[in-house]
Amino acid sequence: MQSWFWLSIAVIAEVFATLALKASDGFTKIYPVFIVIIGYSIAFIALAKVLQAFPVAMIYAIWSGLGITLVAVAGWFFFGEKLGVIEIIGIFLIIVGIVILKSFSSDLN
């Protein structure tokens, strides 16, 4: 259970860091740069904690899949980026893949 907590922290920190990367405008705005550095540091520390208990392939797939999904939705919400039918289908397929990995992998239970 503690590993899932750390995975959640890793995903949330990575999403915040990625959004701050966009907001940094190519590292020209200093405050978002600090969020990028802190966010990715927290994300990788938390990810390292999770990898002590679970296999890297499964956790990386879940971490990156959730990150991609949340960043795409946040980009649409905060930055007005396009999220059309094809993008929504892709996000749906990522979520389905994560559910399948979690549901059927004996390594993640």
Side-chain angles (χ1 to χ4, degrees):
M1 188 63 154
Q2 187 178 16
S3 294
W4 293 107
F5 168 77
W6 285 112
L7 182 60
S8 299
I9 295 298
V11 169
I12 292 166
E14 186 259 339
V15 169
F16 274 102
T18 302
L19 295 175
L21 190 60
K22 169 78 171 172
S24 77
D25 197 29
F27 285 120
T28 60
K29 297 178 182 172
I30 193 70
Y31 294 115
V33 170
F34 287 124
I35 296 171
V36 170
I37 293 167
I38 292 167
Y40 282 129
S41 296
I42 291 169
F44 284 111
I45 290 167
L47 190 61
K49 300 284 259 176
V50 177
L51 293 176
Q52 290 177 324
F54 292 126
V56 68
M58 292 293 140
I59 291 305
Y60 191 75
I62 293 170
W63 178 67
S64 61
L66 287 173
I68 290 166
T69 300
L70 293 173
V71 167
V73 171
W76 167 76
F77 186 78
F78 291 112
F79 301 117
E81 296 176 351
K82 182 182 179 247
L83 203 57
V85 174
I86 297 299
E87 290 87 355
I88 292 169
I89 291 170
I91 289 169
F92 175 75
L93 291 173
I94 290 170
I95 293 168
V96 168
I98 292 167
V99 169
I100 290 170
L101 281 174
K102 174 66 175 103
S103 299
F104 296 103
S105 176
S106 60
D107 289 336
L108 298 177
N109 294 319

